[in-house]
Amino acid sequence: MAQALTAKGRATRARIVEGAAEVLRAHGVAGTTLDDIRGRTGTSKSQLFHYFPDGKDALLLAVARYEADRVLEDQQPHLGRLDSWESWGRWRDVVVERYELQGDQCPLGALFLQVGRSSPGARAIVTELMRQWQEQLARGIRALQGNGLVSADLDVGRTSAALLAGVQGGVSLMMSTGDSAHLRAALDTGIEHLRLSGPGRARTSCGPGTPLP
């Protein structure tokens, strides 16, 4: 549908999705109806179904894609500039702040629960989000390697995967407990692991019990 739309049609569809996201953030998925979204976006029922012929589930998937994009956008420009320890520190602070402001309400998680986390559409959105997020972290690690701050022997794929897993685990625990300590610890430990893999430190930590400089 989106590929066949005119520029005006794409703009209208985007406006509906953005407006729906605002309503869903304010009232939650369970408390939002299509009439609520129509009222917020100023669209008729026929217009809504023109852009989303499969109804509410199709619209929710579109909003999920929008929210997934926001996850990465909210980390910019820092996520795209991870070439120094200062930039990694700024990225860490932005991630913590984002999820502390979000609190225990996760719009993306609520949307996936509604449409079914295992549905092909939802699974594809999660997979693509995690792929892009991990790739940007990996690009940052490679930038550190290029600047001589991290060992060239470090496994970039494994390390970026561990960092992302730490963030996701920390966020999940924060949503359960209301405390961001686990998220902070995961980020701090992941970045410290990168620091300790620097060329000079890697040579001094070969054996068990060997003190670091």
Side-chain angles (χ1 to χ4, degrees), residues 177-190:
T177 65
D179 188 348
S180 63
H182 298 91
L183 175 59
R184 292 171 179 269
L187 285 164
D188 292 343
T189 301

Side-chain angles (χ1 to χ4, degrees), residues 1-3 22 31 38 43 51 66 74 109 111 135 138 145 155 160 163 168-169 177 183 198 203-204 213:
M1 168 65 71
Q3 293 180 349
E22 292 174 358
R38 286 178 48 232
T43 54
Y51 292 106
Y66 172 82
D74 288 351
L111 286 162
E135 176 52 37
Q145 289 177 323
D155 188 328
S160 59
L163 271 167
Q168 292 299 301
T177 65
L183 175 59
R203 288 192 295 271
T204 63

Side-chain angles (χ1 to χ4, degrees), residues 13-14 16-18 20-21 24 51-52 55-69 108 111-112 115 121 125:
R13 186 181 188 278
I16 293 172
V17 171
E18 185 174 353
L24 290 164
Y51 292 106
F52 303 97
K56 188 176 181 179
D57 282 351
L59 177 56
L60 290 178
L61 275 176
V63 175
R65 291 189 187 94
Y66 172 82
E67 291 288 359
D69 289 341
L108 193 57
L111 286 162
F112 288 145
V115 299
I125 292 170

Side-chain angles (χ1 to χ4, degrees), residues 91-113:
W91 169 74
R92 176 262 190 207
D93 292 344
V94 165
V95 171
V96 171
E97 182 181 14
R98 180 192 195 277
Y99 285 105
E100 284 182 338
L101 288 173
Q102 177 179 284
D104 60 359
Q105 299 298 319
C106 177
L108 193 57
L111 286 162
F112 288 145
L113 287 175

Side-chain angles (χ1 to χ4, degrees), residues 69-174:
D69 289 341
R70 282 189 58 171
V71 169
L72 299 180
E73 289 171 4
D74 288 351
Q75 298 176 54
Q76 299 298 351
H78 311 291
L79 183 59
R81 299 176 181 173
L82 297 175
D83 55 359
S84 67
W85 296 126
E86 291 78 12
S87 60
W88 277 86
R90 287 191 291 270
W91 169 74
R92 176 262 190 207
D93 292 344
V94 165
V95 171
V96 171
E97 182 181 14
R98 180 192 195 277
Y99 285 105
E100 284 182 338
L101 288 173
Q102 177 179 284
D104 60 359
Q105 299 298 319
C106 177
L108 193 57
L111 286 162
F112 288 145
L113 287 175
Q114 178 70 23
V115 299
R117 194 179 294 269
S118 62
S119 70
R123 186 176 292 274
I125 292 170
V126 173
T127 300
E128 180 61 15
L129 169 60
M130 296 304 158
R131 185 196 67 77
Q132 291 186 31
W133 199 344
Q134 184 177 338
E135 176 52 37
Q136 295 207 47
L137 291 172
R139 189 178 300 121
I141 296 171
R142 287 192 289 268
L144 293 178
Q145 289 177 323
N147 290 335
L149 298 172
V150 167
S151 171
D153 296 329
L154 185 70
D155 188 328
V156 174
R158 184 180 178 86
T159 303
S160 59
L163 271 167
L164 181 55
V167 172
Q168 292 299 301
V171 170
S172 294
L173 284 166
M174 192 192 75

